[in-house]
Amino acid sequence: MNTAVKSLSTVDEQLGHDTEYLCFPPAGGTVIGLRGLAGTAAGSVVRGVEYPGHGARLTEPPAESLAALAEEIARHCLARIGAEGFSRTVLIGFSMGAFVALEVAQRVLVRGGPGPAGLVVVGACAPQRRVPGRYAKADAAEAERLLDRHCPPSSAGYRDCPELREYALDLFLGDLRLTSAYPGPAKVPLSCPIVAIRGEDDLDFATGDEEIRAWRAWTTGRFTGCVVPGGHLAVLTPGKETGFWDRVRLGTEPCDD
């Protein structure tokens, strides 16, 4: 089977690294869209998750639910990097990927494994603040409007190619329906640091920062909320990657006693 966990960095994974990173794409996204970010991680091991029915796994049937997707990824993570490797890994979820990352962390804990080294959520309100079913009846026209609004700057080239646009729209619409049907995670808090980031111009947060601050409820550990310039997933804009990694490391690295 084609594994869900893909290498994104060129760092030798066999050398051993203190902290590693696992990135979860947004709705409609693939690991290819995260390669630019991974290439700026200053010598760190960065991996990405490829969802079934996306990218290199295009021929596989898509997940039937977000919970089933997280269950599969949790198994793949433990098979690929092991429990010890998972404990040194910071999970980074972009938009929909934030919920998948949280679910994966919870599933590893429920299995008796360790929690991750940290959880970073970008452009996603806290699970308890979202509205399930919000886009359950979205058609192709509505999905296209949302895709144009939410597309990461690093993937904006799809607009210039009709074939890529159709491909991106199909993936996005499927993930949109998957997210709409998601009832939310179990009440299993993590103990690792959580960093929640949103763009100051992100229309999904027009009512303020409470949706970001509410992520605090999902950890007994340290919490950091950040507002950055730009819109939805602006941290993926080429040229802004270094600032993103600085925030991630500052918020997830152990504090000196």
Side-chain angles (χ1 to χ4, degrees):
M1 178 181 290
N2 198 355
T3 181
V5 180
K6 310 290 185 182
S7 294
L8 289 177
S9 55
T10 58
V11 176
D12 188 345
E13 298 180 7
Q14 303 303 317
L15 294 178
H17 301 268
D18 291 337
T19 303
E20 301 178 355
Y21 302 93
L22 181 63
C23 299
F24 295 71
T30 69
V31 294
I32 290 178
L34 300 174
R35 287 195 181 279
L37 181 70
T40 62
S44 297
V45 171
V46 182
R47 301 182 180 94
V49 169
E50 192 81 281
Y51 304 141
H54 295 57
R57 304 181 68 195
L58 185 60
T59 59
E60 299 181 36
E64 295 183 356
S65 69
L66 197 144
L69 176 62
E71 183 69 26
E72 179 204 59
I73 295 170
R75 292 197 307 269
H76 283 222
C77 282
L78 292 176
R80 173 71 185 273
I81 63 177
E84 194 276 332
F86 190 81
S87 71
R88 292 186 288 102
T89 298
V90 173
L91 310 185
I92 304 176
F94 297 94
S95 199
M96 179 189 90
F99 305 129
V100 183
L102 174 61
E103 288 274 355
V104 168
Q106 291 180 324
R107 277 162 169 71
V108 173
L109 281 172
V110 168
R111 282 186 167 90
L119 173 65
V120 179
V121 295
V122 183
C125 68
Q128 71 273 26
R129 302 285 298 186
R130 57 185 293 275
V131 181
R134 182 178 180 183
Y135 298 114
K137 298 182 179 180
D139 57 13
E142 173 73 355
E144 188 168 18
R145 182 185 68 80
L146 291 169
L147 177 61
D148 287 340
R149 192 173 92 186
H150 291 95
C151 178
S154 58
S155 302
Y158 81 91
R159 296 189 178 98
D160 302 323
C161 176
E163 291 80 8
L164 284 179
R165 186 175 183 84
E166 183 178 0
Y167 167 67
L169 183 59
D170 285 345
L171 295 184
F172 184 77
L173 183 56
D175 288 344
L176 190 65
R177 290 169 176 166
L178 199 70
T179 307
S180 293
Y182 174 52
K187 294 181 179 179
V188 180
L190 309 180
S191 60
C192 65
I194 289 182
V195 179
I197 302 172
R198 77 163 182 92
E200 63 182 350
D201 300 324
D202 189 343
L203 297 178
D204 287 353
F205 296 92
T207 59
D209 290 341
E210 184 54 36
E211 287 84 355
I212 282 290
R213 289 195 292 266
W215 276 101
R216 183 188 299 274
W218 293 95
T219 184
T220 58
R222 183 161 38 114
F223 172 80
T224 305
C226 304
V227 179
V228 299
H232 190 70
L233 302 185
V235 296
L236 294 176
T237 303
K240 294 187 177 182
E241 301 95 341
T242 300
F244 171 74
W245 287 115
D246 287 344
R247 290 184 178 88
V248 167
R249 292 184 174 109
L250 183 63
T252 59
E253 289 180 349
C255 295
D256 295 331
D257 294 334

